[in-house]
Amino acid sequence: MAASKRSGLLIAAAVAAAGMGVALVVGRPVTAQQPAEESYGISMHAFTDSRGVTVLSPSGELSRDFTTRTGLRASFGVDAISAASDSCIRCHPDGAYNARAYVNASLFRKYGDTKVSVGGEFSREQFYTATTGSTSISRTLNQANTTIAGGYAFSLNQPVLHPSEDVARQYAHSAFGTVTQTLTKGTAVQLGYEVSRITGFQNNVFLRANVDGVRMLGNHPELRLRHSITAKLRQALPGRMYLEADFRRYQDDWQVRANTWSAGLSREVSPQLTIAGVYRRHEQTGASFYRPVYTGQPEFFTADFRIFPFDADLYTGRLNFTPKQGLMAFRQGTSLTLQYEYYRNTTKFQAATVTAALRVPLKH
Amino acid sequence: MPRLVRLAVLAAVLSVSTLLTACATVQPWQRGRLASPCMQFSPDGELAAFASHWQESREGAAGGNSLQGGGCGCK
């Protein structure tokens, strides 16, 4: 079984490499003009948390326009988990290596002020495979001061019921709509709504709930309807500073309710250097069937920490550097982003991530 | 979510979107600061995707970042 999983990861990596290769070959431009956003990027994320879990995530992405109306966005990456995930470590305190490989791509085409895109994502890791197809459409109105967008995605998620080899199925349908509006020369807002309907197996096979003193696999409902409403503001301030403020209200029919807001300031120190700091606050209630300890014979019970009640804080610092003459051997216009994030929540969980990302224009 | 709340949300979104389209027009030559990367709602897709991925592996709430992939087993 281990060999088949390794070969699965190899297949996923091969699909990712093939996807990028096809993108590079097919992406030969047929027009002389190259939009400035054409680029490729490489990133490295390092994650560590208070349980000793570490994750290294190298990734690559490509943004390529075939014509002035048609283009491709693709990315792939690997999450190399050195000490097992938070769930695994409960049974494997010495660590259990895992890795997740993913590849996604979307093609878009513009028809006047309307843009249509179609894409998909495939990811695979030990005990989990996810396949997603998505489509979206957007249109600019009012002399490009208004943009309306909508989209739909379908995901088939297939967890392996570890330690058995049985595979369960979960289906997720999601749809979203957004309106983005320029209000003044320095103010823009965006309102959005997203709904998801998830059916099928929704337990976490790695977590055990305490039911009458017995550790048991959780039992979640097989239907979940999720809603989120978002409001985002971007405001230019004097002194080359910018304010960002986001709010999200989330609720679902498992009675999880959450308010998440964030506020941040960024400053263009020079044409080459931008710094930013963001604070994010998340407060959520637990699912209706959540209990610290279960007694009797509850219909539903859970040990999934994601649907416990808790509050969380996230602090982000970011620096973006775009040297005039290019960076090292990379061409002019190359930018380097360095980011640090610190996360903590009231379940005594803490995590930190460090990111270094390089974005290189395909032509300058 | 009760049907009434759903209808209210839909009506609110439609109303706001209709109202917003009637806002004063900002001309292309007035958009210098609006074009700054700091004004973008999703300035870096890769960074945003990584952040939402690990946050959703810790939090029960999701959404609001347009559509995501199919998730992972770490959830």
Side-chain angles (χ1 to χ4, degrees), chain A residues 43 45 59 61 79 86 100 102 121 125 128 132 142-143 145-146 152-153 155 157 174 176 179-186 189 191 194 204 224 226 228 230 232 234 237 240-242 248 250-251 266 268 280 282 284 305-306 310 314 341 343 349 355, chain B residues 1-2 5-6 9 12-13 16-17 20-28 30-34 36-47 50-51 53-75:
Chain A
S43 307
H45 310 276
S59 63
E61 61 179 319
D79 295 337
D86 186 55
R100 168 179 174 264
Y102 66 89
E121 177 172 303
E125 62 187 288
Y128 204 90
T132 299
N142 189 23
Q143 297 182 37
N145 284 279
T146 307
Y152 167 79
S155 292
N157 302 319
S174 302
F176 80 92
V179 179
T180 306
Q181 176 68 42
T182 299
L183 295 179
T184 71
K185 290 184 286 185
V189 296
L191 301 174
E194 185 175 330
N204 186 322
R224 190 177 188 187
R226 317 175 82 179
S228 64
T230 54
K232 302 181 179 182
R234 298 292 179 271
L237 301 172
R240 308 302 297 173
M241 293 185 69
Y242 299 85
R248 178 185 69 190
Y250 168 92
Q251 64 184 60
S266 53
E268 292 170 342
R280 174 184 182 272
H282 174 81
Q284 76 170 54
F305 46 81
R306 292 174 304 139
F310 68 87
L314 174 68
E341 290 183 302
Y343 178 93
F349 174 83
T355 295
Chain B
M1 181 185 270
V5 176
R6 251 183 286 177
V9 168
V13 170
V16 170
S17 61
L20 288 179
T21 55
C23 289
T25 300
V26 178
Q27 300 298 334
Q30 297 176 311
R31 293 185 187 155
R33 299 203 71 188
L34 290 169
S36 167
C38 302
M39 290 290 286
Q40 305 307 303
F41 289 99
S42 298
D44 190 311
E46 185 62 25
L47 281 177
F50 178 76
H53 175 71
W54 78 260
Q55 284 164 17
E56 287 176 20
S57 73
R58 297 302 315 182
E59 298 172 351
N65 298 307
S66 76
L67 299 172
Q68 304 295 316
C72 70
C74 61
K75 294 179 177 180

